[in-house]
Amino acid sequence: MLPPRTGRRSLRRSAAFAAPYCRKPKHRGIKKGRKVGGSPTASLSDDALANILARLPDAASVVRCAATCRRWGRVVATSAAIVSRSLPPIGRFLPDLAVGLFHKETDLPAAASPLLPCFVPMASAARFLGAGQQRLLGVAGLGGGDRGILDHSRPVASRNGRLVMELKHEVHGADGLWLAVCNPMMHDNSIVIVPPLISEAGTTIQDYGCALLTGQDLRPPRCNTFFRLLLVYNRGPAGNSTVLRCYSSDAGCWGREAECSVQVPSSEIRDIGQAVVRRGVAFWALDLGVLGARLDEIDQHGAVTDMHLMPYPTPHTMPQKRLLGISPDNRLFFMDMGVVGWKNKFLLANLCYFKFSDEDNIRTGRMLFGPDREDQQVRMPNMKLSHYNTSVKLRWFGEKSGLVLFTMGRPSGHRGTFVLNLRDKVFNKVADDGDSWKNLLGYEMDMAAYLVSSVNPQSLVEKPAMPSIWRFAVCRTTGTRYITLEHR
């Protein structure tokens, strides 16, 4: 005979009555006095946790750790300078490092031109600057009011978050070349005024090329306040002698002039363009070759002693269509841009690489051509052109972001300022103008500022209150908004 049918409710009731007679598993028991909850790093101090984060393999791992909890985000934000110096090179282009571009027109009268260089932010920089911020220097509190030492200045160089500005002579009432170095994205708002520079021949320097080396370029890296400036210019009334001169922040003075190994015409120095730095060597693109000068090693008088010109296979005499860059694997390349096609004309960027037999000897460098050539082409077929006269100008290359700024004139039908992303092989428009801008310079933040910006400011709010990195304040006299770092 079959047993009577039992419902689910009866089974649950039976299990409930049987439960007290079952043996409880051992893992359910909790010993008295055992601490429940808490993370293994709760007992670590902030300094010890920062040292652990500094040993992570890359910046992406640090950003992911900063998003884990409020405390880790606060430690990354407050110790970003220490963590960034210990991280290895990113090994790839990171377009988020590019914030925008500066431009300043010196041909306009002082009353008609803006006090500060105009800043044009990129679309990806909205979360760094906030809505409605059009001037990076104004946001950082570096211009206007009583601290308007950068009024009527112009940008001349930028690398690794540093910005070099040329100050107007009328501001100081003295002769010579006045330069200032600052980091607009960092909260300390510190500006280093470089001592005025006058040529040893007694003449004021008008046209020059400027290269910037920071502590991140050295191995092992030095502190964030360290930098060196290298200027190339012609001295004497006739300008028949090309010299190099270096300023080092640790010495606080300019070194002696060093006679350049090649004579560069004054017209070429006037359009010398941007310098890139690779393994402590600054490189400029000239008509007949690339001039390299070692910047990480100087003599006891602060003078550059190692320099060399690496010739091209064929001359490149159009400075607006040439640009130097550094690849993610730390290779030097030469970039030129032109129009290709017959019926369907479009822009084409061509990259030619250099090779060094001895990486620490710039005299062993040569441009690859012939069977050893390793060209890389970036086609832009979406940029439809009507004819070859496009007035295209290569302006600036971001060594860490991999972005190329170039402008085009009215004949192209695409007038404006554009940015080419070498990592994703895409381009976007930044501004409707730019072909007539003479002092156009891109800006990308350093890794420390990137780590701080990657932390959500709301995640830093906890009890007790912690430093607020992105607190905005307003100047009562000028109304300028600037970033402050407050400790409550």
Side-chain angles (χ1 to χ4, degrees):
M1 180 177 179
L2 295 175
R5 186 174 182 182
T6 305
R8 295 183 179 179
R9 182 177 299 178
S10 301
L11 292 175
R12 287 198 298 267
R13 189 182 297 113
S14 301
F17 281 102
Y21 299 96
C22 297
R23 180 177 295 178
K24 295 182 179 180
K26 294 182 179 180
H27 67 274
R28 291 187 178 180
I30 299 177
K31 294 183 179 180
K32 187 177 181 179
R34 181 180 177 183
K35 186 177 180 181
V36 181
S39 62
T41 60
S43 60
L44 295 177
S45 63
D46 290 353
D47 294 338
L49 183 57
N51 291 331
I52 294 175
L53 295 174
R55 287 171 171 80
L56 292 176
D58 51 26
S61 300
V62 178
V63 173
R64 286 193 295 267
C65 290
T68 303
C69 64
R70 293 179 179 178
R71 187 195 175 209
W72 287 23
R74 173 176 55 81
V75 171
V76 171
T78 55
S79 306
I82 300 175
V83 174
S84 62
R85 286 200 301 268
S86 302
L87 291 176
I90 56 179
R92 58 184 177 88
F93 288 138
L94 189 59
D96 288 345
L97 293 177
V99 181
L101 62 94
F102 291 94
H103 74 90
K104 175 71 174 182
E105 305 312 305
T106 57
D107 295 340
L108 299 176
S113 61
L115 293 180
L116 292 174
C118 294
F119 176 72
V120 181
M122 295 185 181
S124 59
R127 65 189 181 99
F128 305 134
L129 304 178
Q133 301 297 338
Q134 297 298 323
R135 292 184 178 182
L136 185 59
L137 291 177
V139 173
L142 300 180
D146 298 335
R147 299 188 63 190
I149 57 178
L150 301 182
D151 291 351
H152 303 292
S153 61
R154 71 180 184 95
V156 294
S158 69
R159 284 191 70 253
N160 291 339
R162 296 297 184 89
L163 180 66
V164 184
M165 312 288 291
E166 179 186 344
L167 307 181
K168 283 294 184 179
H169 302 167
E170 293 80 2
V171 177
H172 301 276
D175 295 332
L177 177 63
W178 289 81
L179 299 176
V181 182
C182 62
N183 190 334
M185 289 294 294
M186 296 305 290
H187 55 266
D188 54 359
N189 294 344
S190 60
I191 308 176
V192 179
I193 305 298
V194 180
L197 176 62
I198 301 178
S199 174
E200 293 181 0
T203 58
T204 303
I205 301 172
Q206 299 292 338
D207 300 321
Y208 60 92
C210 180
L212 172 64
L213 180 139
T214 65
Q216 301 176 11
D217 297 311
L218 304 179
R219 289 293 176 265
R222 298 185 63 173
C223 61
N224 290 342
T225 59
F226 173 83
F227 67 90
R228 278 179 182 164
L229 298 177
L230 179 63
L231 300 187
V232 53
Y233 57 90
N234 286 341
R235 66 180 178 184
N240 53 0
S241 178
T242 304
V243 295
L244 299 171
R245 199 163 187 181
C246 180
Y247 171 85
S248 184
S249 62
D250 53 357
C253 61
W254 290 93
R256 290 185 179 179
E257 291 182 346
E259 193 77 22
C260 188
S261 57
V262 295
Q263 173 62 33
V264 184
S266 299
S267 58
E268 195 170 351
I269 290 183
R270 190 176 300 113
D271 301 323
I272 196 170
Q274 177 194 6
V276 297
V277 177
R278 176 186 179 272
R279 299 179 67 91
V281 180
F283 294 96
W284 282 286
L286 303 179
D287 290 350
L288 301 179
V290 174
L291 175 63
R294 181 162 295 281
L295 194 52
D296 56 353
E297 297 178 2
I298 54 179
D299 62 7
Q300 58 181 351
H301 303 292
V304 178
T305 58
D306 189 8
M307 63 195 77
H308 179 68
L309 180 69
M310 299 181 295
Y312 308 128
T314 57
H316 292 271
T317 58
M318 302 183 68
Q320 286 98 2
K321 291 182 173 56
R322 67 191 184 204
L323 196 65
L324 291 179
I326 305 294
S327 64
D329 55 354
N330 202 24
R331 292 198 298 168
L332 178 69
F333 64 82
F334 178 90
M335 178 180 182
D336 61 334
M337 184 176 290
V339 181
V340 296
W342 178 247
K343 293 184 178 180
N344 297 324
K345 302 178 180 64
F346 58 91
L347 285 178
L348 174 68
N350 188 56
L351 282 66
C352 301
Y353 288 89
F354 285 81
K355 182 180 180 181
F356 294 84
S357 302
D358 184 357
E359 293 292 344
D360 294 326
N361 188 356
I362 58 178
R363 290 176 173 79
T364 62
R366 65 182 182 88
M367 179 181 287
L368 297 178
F369 63 95
D372 298 333
R373 193 162 187 164
E374 298 181 12
D375 288 8
Q376 180 182 356
Q377 294 183 347
V378 180
R379 297 174 176 267
M380 290 173 275
N382 295 334
M383 183 79 73
K384 302 296 183 181
L385 304 174
S386 56
H387 46 78
Y388 293 99
N389 184 18
T390 60
S391 301
V392 60
K393 299 178 183 177
L394 291 172
R395 299 301 192 101
W396 176 82
F397 171 75
E399 299 180 23
K400 298 299 190 326
S401 62
L403 299 185
V404 178
L405 284 175
F406 66 95
T407 59
M408 300 183 68
R410 291 184 182 276
S412 64
H414 302 277
R415 183 188 181 190
T417 303
F418 300 85
V419 56
L420 172 62
N421 188 332
L422 293 182
R423 189 189 71 176
D424 301 330
K425 305 296 189 298
V426 296
F427 68 94
N428 296 291
K429 192 172 187 179
V430 180
D432 295 331
D433 199 1
D435 59 313
S436 60
W437 294 345
K438 294 184 178 180
N439 302 294
L440 190 151
L441 183 68
Y443 174 78
E444 57 185 13
M445 56 184 159
D446 58 358
M447 188 55 63
Y450 176 73
L451 293 179
V452 173
S453 63
S454 300
V455 179
N456 185 7
Q458 297 179 356
S459 65
L460 302 179
V461 180
E462 61 178 349
K463 299 298 182 180
M466 297 301 173
S468 178
I469 299 299
W470 296 107
R471 176 172 294 278
F472 285 90
V474 180
C475 182
R476 295 181 178 179
T477 57
T478 61
T480 302
R481 300 181 68 195
Y482 57 95
I483 299 173
T484 60
L485 176 63
E486 296 184 0
H487 294 272
R488 299 181 182 179

